[in-house]
Amino acid sequence: MEASSDTENFMTPKKEKLLSLAVPCYNEALALPYFIEEIQKIRPLLPEINIEVVLINDGSKDDTLETMQKICSECSFVRYISFSRNFGKESAILAGLREAKGDWVAVMDADLQAPPHLLPEMLRSVQEEGYDCVGTRRSTRKGEPPIRSFFARAFYKIINRISSIKLVDGARDFKLLSRQAVEALLSLPEVNRFSKGLYEWIGFKTKWIEFENVEKVAGETKWSFWGLFKYSIEGIYTANDVPQFGIRMDLNDMYYSLAEWCATFLFGNYRSIHC
Ligand code: UDP
Ligand code: MG
């Protein structure tokens, strides 16, 4: 890995603009060195732009934290935040957006499933074409387990039926946002976040770029079937238009109610012991 030098910009014009990359990381010790290597390749392609990388260690159980510390000691353009436990990808994204100082912020997976080579094109779209957001979507679901595709499609059908904001099927979390869009996201009071919904909610002129699904460079998906199911329910819950009568029910209560409803449906006259 190439160490960045503080003298590399000596005698060259000062770069005025900053692009931040916010990278949520859970058990990404193996993938992170490859990620930084790819970013090192992108930096010369954007000579006018400074790049900072904000890594968020979301309570990893492997050597992610140690790997981040090593990377930061070698690369001055990389910083990290470390959570006390695993809070989930959405919390890590929020922390990254808060910490990022850039004129633009890109949210990216650490596993190279958000291909860094798309960054110059995405940046051109916000700089020259007047977009505030550039989203990415998979052109196909090739390579995805059929059960996951089935539930993903069902999820998009449900959410787009019950919500006035429309989610793009196949949209990835890989997104580039202007400072204006980032501030809009940060101004929202939501604690349980569903970023895909919030990106649509804030509006702004958005361009979509399609790309072929990419395999993880290392590691395994962090999503269990149940984890993905819960995430979908949270998405449907937070992005729907049904009035909540001023009460924001805790999601754990909602899971409890769902379980209770299922028990009543299956066993009839189920007595709640919840007090
Ligand atoms: N991630 C995280 N916390 C979690 C789960 C995932 O920060 O609890 C990170 C993960 O390290 C990756 C990104 O979120 O950089 C997306 O996760 P993953 O690649 O497993 O999901 P997929 O690409 O399959 O949607
Ligand atoms: Mg991924």
Side-chain angles (χ1 to χ4, degrees):
M1 195 182 305
E2 187 190 321
S4 63
S5 155
D6 287 338
T7 57
E8 71 187 6
N9 292 332
F10 185 62
M11 298 293 281
T12 57
K14 192 173 177 300
K15 298 178 181 184
E16 298 290 347
K17 297 283 185 184
L18 178 67
L19 167 65
S20 303
L21 310 180
V23 189
C25 301
Y26 180 60
N27 295 345
E28 299 287 7
L30 295 177
L32 270 175
Y34 293 106
F35 176 81
I36 297 297
E37 212 172 287
E38 287 307 304
I39 300 304
Q40 292 281 30
K41 290 183 197 159
I42 298 296
R43 292 175 77 209
L45 304 180
L46 297 168
E48 307 294 314
I49 309 284
N50 274 314
I51 293 184
E52 68 160 2
V53 178
V54 181
L55 304 172
I56 306 97
N57 175 32
D58 183 17
S60 298
K61 294 187 170 56
D62 67 355
D63 292 336
T64 295
L65 179 58
E66 291 72 16
T67 308
M68 284 180 179
Q69 286 165 338
K70 182 168 182 297
I71 289 170
C72 289
S73 71
E74 292 168 350
C75 308
S76 60
F77 66 97
V78 186
R79 298 185 282 130
Y80 74 88
I81 308 168
S82 192
F83 286 176
S84 55
R85 67 167 174 85
N86 179 242
F87 284 90
K89 181 182 73 172
E90 289 289 346
S91 303
I93 291 176
L94 179 58
L97 291 177
R98 281 184 179 149
E99 190 61 26
K101 300 195 169 30
D103 299 283
W104 309 280
V105 183
V107 177
M108 308 180 71
D109 277 19
D111 55 21
L112 295 180
Q113 286 195 295
H117 69 79
L118 292 179
L119 282 170
E121 183 186 346
M122 294 166 84
L123 203 54
R124 244 192 329 272
S125 303
V126 285
Q127 278 189 298
E128 293 168 18
E129 297 168 22
Y131 289 96
D132 270 289
C133 304
V134 183
T136 56
R137 60 181 299 220
R138 291 160 49 151
S139 47
T140 67
R141 291 196 170 273
K142 220 165 68 189
E144 191 176 66
I147 184 87
R148 185 166 166 171
S149 301
F150 172 80
F151 278 100
R153 289 213 174 87
F155 166 74
Y156 282 106
K157 271 204 186 113
I158 294 172
I159 205 154
N160 284 336
R161 181 155 295 189
I162 63 174
S163 173
S164 58
I165 54 162
K166 298 292 167 238
L167 298 193
V168 174
D169 190 354
R172 301 290 300 168
D173 282 319
F174 184 19
K175 195 104 179 173
L176 192 137
L177 305 152
S178 67
R179 172 50 53 191
Q180 192 174 206
V182 172
E183 292 304 326
L185 284 170
L186 293 178
S187 71
L188 299 174
E190 256 74 10
V191 179
N192 286 307
R193 290 199 161 215
F194 177 63
S195 291
K196 280 181 187 158
L198 296 182
Y199 293 145
E200 298 306 315
W201 173 259
I202 58 167
F204 292 107
K205 200 176 163 198
T206 300
K207 177 176 178 176
W208 288 94
I209 294 179
E210 292 201 349
F211 69 98
E212 286 264 328
N213 192 29
V214 185
E215 292 295 314
K216 282 173 169 297
V217 67
E220 290 170 357
T221 183
K222 314 300 176 307
W223 295 107
S224 62
F225 181 79
W226 174 238
L228 213 51
F229 179 74
K230 271 173 67 174
Y231 186 59
S232 316
I233 297 287
E234 278 162 19
I236 290 168
Y237 177 69
T238 52
N240 78 70
D241 291 341
V242 180
Q244 289 160 12
F245 307 108
I247 302 166
R248 284 205 62 93
M249 185 168 55
D250 183 81
L251 282 165
N252 283 328
D253 281 351
M254 190 188 66
Y255 295 131
Y256 188 87
S257 305
L258 199 66
E260 206 174 39
W261 182 85
C262 290
T264 310
F265 182 73
L266 289 172
F267 308 119
N269 204 19
Y270 173 80
R271 268 183 65 102
S272 170
I273 52 165
H274 188 46
C275 47

